[in-house]
Amino acid sequence: MKRNILITGGAGFIGSHVVRLFVTKYPDYRIVNLDKLTYAGNLENLRDIEDRPNYRFEKADICDFDTVCELFRRYDIDGVIHLAAESHVDRSIRDPFTFARTNVLGTLSLLQAARLYWEAKPEKYEGKRFYHISTDEVYGALELTRPEGARSDFSAHEVYGDEFFTEETKYNPHSPYSASKASSDHFVRAFHDTYGMPTVVTNCSNNYGPYQFPEKLIPLFINNIRHEKPLPVYGRGENVRDWLYVEDHARAIDLIFHKGKVADTYNIGGFNEWRNIDLIRVLVRTVDRLLGRPEGASERLITFVTDRAGHDLRYAIDSRKLKNELGWEPSLQFEEGIEKTVRWYLEHQEWMDRITSGEYELYYETMYRYR
């Protein structure tokens, strides 16, 4: 094999799209998918490539340092794409210790395993790369304003302020989740500065698309509209997020892994801001239409609930550095991406039903216990 790439969290939402892209696009790479298979990890996401000769799956915890070291030796890993993380803000508010353990200590475990293995080789860091995927939430929040003229180079929809997160924006996390990711980012950069490890960090906006665990807004609301359940909206739904189709994120990861500058940071965003309430209304109209209902009929399901603690008002990513240096930009307009996403979930009801029932967890727990 030309390269041996370890992808952590490869059974999750974004990770499964990255694994599929690399396995399919690079048949001369061995892709090792390391995933603990917690509630959000689902090997059913990868059934279409699980028998490929250049794909391996390893069920393990990134915090298990001895196991991680053994995997580096067994597969002669020369590149890491690190996506494994606890990522749901509400869960982090209820259980911050789990987020600190996985996101901070798990990242440190991977960094140290990579450092020890690579430094022991004659070529040391030559040809190696540790790529850490982070979030725009580490930057904190932006002001929400309504300028008269939207900046056409920044949005296919509407711009809600004059400020954007850039690679130079200071970190200001407001939730246990974003604080844990900020800490892991600092460890990655420290390993470059201290040991010379060839690292790269990216901070991405909200992703959407197929295979997303249905505690997240878009798949949750698609499923609730389908079953005519309430659509719980925090506050008045005025929080603004920048949305990116997950396959466009996977393309960016591929590009940055191969061509990004060592020790650099790249922001990845969709140039695509939406207020939560406006996004939900688009979802309602799209699901209603595809289910043969009158468009907008399910808006009656919208229920405003008490706002989340520490709920950041606006995120907006400036991705011009990535576009200017490496030529990446989103391939889909939001309406096109939402149409594809809603159709996928409605056409994969069995996948959604198994996820929401917990059936998939029992199946894979049994399979790996007795394999």
Side-chain angles (χ1 to χ4, degrees):
M1 290 295 177
K2 185 177 179 180
R3 297 205 66 170
N4 297 300
I5 310 300
L6 179 69
I7 299 180
T8 70
F13 168 45
I14 299 173
S16 63
H17 286 275
V18 175
V19 167
R20 179 178 296 102
L21 175 62
F22 272 69
V23 167
T24 304
K25 185 175 179 180
Y26 302 106
D28 55 348
Y29 286 13
R30 178 183 289 110
I31 305 302
V32 181
N33 173 11
L34 188 164
D35 200 296
K36 187 180 178 181
L37 294 183
T38 59
Y39 72 95
N42 184 0
L43 289 177
E44 191 172 353
N45 298 352
L46 293 165
R47 277 189 175 176
D48 56 323
I49 57 96
E50 64 184 2
D51 294 325
R52 297 287 182 92
N54 64 329
Y55 173 70
R56 300 289 185 275
F57 173 73
E58 294 288 343
K59 185 177 185 295
D61 185 347
I62 58 173
C63 294
D64 184 346
F65 179 67
D66 291 339
T67 296
V68 172
C69 288
E70 195 277 327
L71 291 176
F72 269 83
R73 293 190 296 269
R74 187 194 315 169
Y75 292 108
D76 190 25
I77 298 298
D78 55 50
V80 176
I81 301 176
H82 176 35
L83 295 115
E86 294 284 349
S87 65
H88 194 52
V89 173
D90 287 345
R91 286 179 182 261
S92 80
I93 293 171
R94 295 192 300 268
D95 181 16
F97 285 99
T98 294
F99 281 68
R101 178 181 181 274
T102 298
N103 297 353
V104 183
L105 295 181
T107 300
L108 181 56
S109 172
L110 287 163
L111 285 164
Q112 183 72 342
R115 181 180 77 84
L116 294 177
Y117 184 68
W118 292 341
E119 286 188 348
K121 299 177 76 67
E123 69 276 17
K124 295 189 182 296
Y125 288 129
E126 183 180 350
K128 311 297 192 300
R129 173 149 297 194
F130 191 106
Y131 180 176
H132 176 65
I133 284 81
S134 189
T135 172
D136 58 357
E137 297 191 40
V138 299
Y139 296 126
L142 296 168
E143 291 294 323
L144 179 58
T145 59
R146 288 185 174 276
E148 290 188 9
R151 294 162 63 177
S152 59
D153 61 321
F154 260 86
S155 180
H157 179 60
E158 185 174 357
V159 173
Y160 287 88
D162 293 319
E163 290 185 291
F164 297 83
F165 296 139
T166 72
E167 290 80 2
E168 286 73 42
T169 300
K170 291 182 179 180
Y171 277 24
N172 187 25
H174 293 155
S175 71
Y177 162 59
S178 56
S180 68
K181 290 298 290 183
S183 179
S184 66
D185 294 3
H186 290 320
F187 268 108
V188 173
R189 295 187 177 104
F191 265 64
H192 170 267
D193 294 346
T194 304
Y195 306 109
M197 181 180 287
T199 63
V200 65
V201 175
T202 54
N203 300 87
C204 191
S205 61
N206 282 28
N207 281 217
Y208 71 98
Y211 299 112
Q212 188 170 26
F213 190 78
E215 70 183 355
K216 300 290 188 174
L217 189 152
I218 288 178
L220 172 66
F221 277 37
I222 292 171
N223 200 44
N224 283 12
I225 296 166
R226 171 198 170 205
H227 291 292
E228 299 188 271
K229 294 181 178 180
L231 306 177
V233 181
Y234 282 127
R236 301 305 301 173
E238 294 180 347
N239 301 74
V240 173
R241 298 294 181 261
D242 176 15
W243 292 90
L244 177 66
Y245 191 65
V246 65
E247 291 182 3
D248 282 333
H249 188 189
R251 287 193 306 106
I253 290 171
D254 175 23
L255 186 63
I256 293 165
F257 179 79
H258 289 96
K259 296 184 178 180
K261 295 178 182 177
V262 169
D264 216 340
T265 298
Y266 296 90
N267 280 349
I268 309 173
F271 302 103
N272 182 42
E273 293 182 59
W274 286 77
R275 293 193 312 162
N276 285 345
I277 190 63
D278 297 326
L279 166 65
I280 291 162
R281 286 171 178 148
V282 169
L283 281 176
V284 165
R285 292 195 299 271
T286 306
V287 176
D288 281 345
R289 171 170 51 81
L290 293 177
L291 289 177
R293 301 171 183 170
E295 283 193 32
S298 297
E299 283 197 23
R300 60 183 173 78
L301 300 172
I302 294 174
T303 305
F304 295 102
V305 299
T306 303
D307 206 355
R308 167 195 286 162
H311 198 180
D312 291 334
L313 194 55
R314 173 177 174 253
Y315 303 146
I317 283 280
D318 180 346
S319 294
R320 286 179 295 179
K321 174 180 175 179
L322 179 57
K323 180 178 180 179
N324 294 339
E325 290 189 8
L326 300 181
W328 176 91
E329 58 185 343
S331 67
L332 294 180
Q333 296 294 324
F334 187 65
E335 290 82 352
E336 181 184 0
I338 282 293
E339 180 86 11
K340 288 182 63 174
T341 299
V342 171
R343 284 185 180 277
W344 188 90
Y345 284 104
L346 294 181
E347 292 169 0
H348 291 80
Q349 295 295 336
E350 290 186 4
W351 180 91
M352 177 66 82
D353 292 343
R354 283 195 292 273
I355 294 290
T356 53
S357 70
E359 177 185 332
Y360 80 101
E361 290 182 285
L362 178 62
Y363 171 76
Y364 284 110
E365 179 183 350
T366 303
M367 182 173 71
Y368 278 91
R369 182 182 299 167
Y370 297 110
R371 71 170 185 167

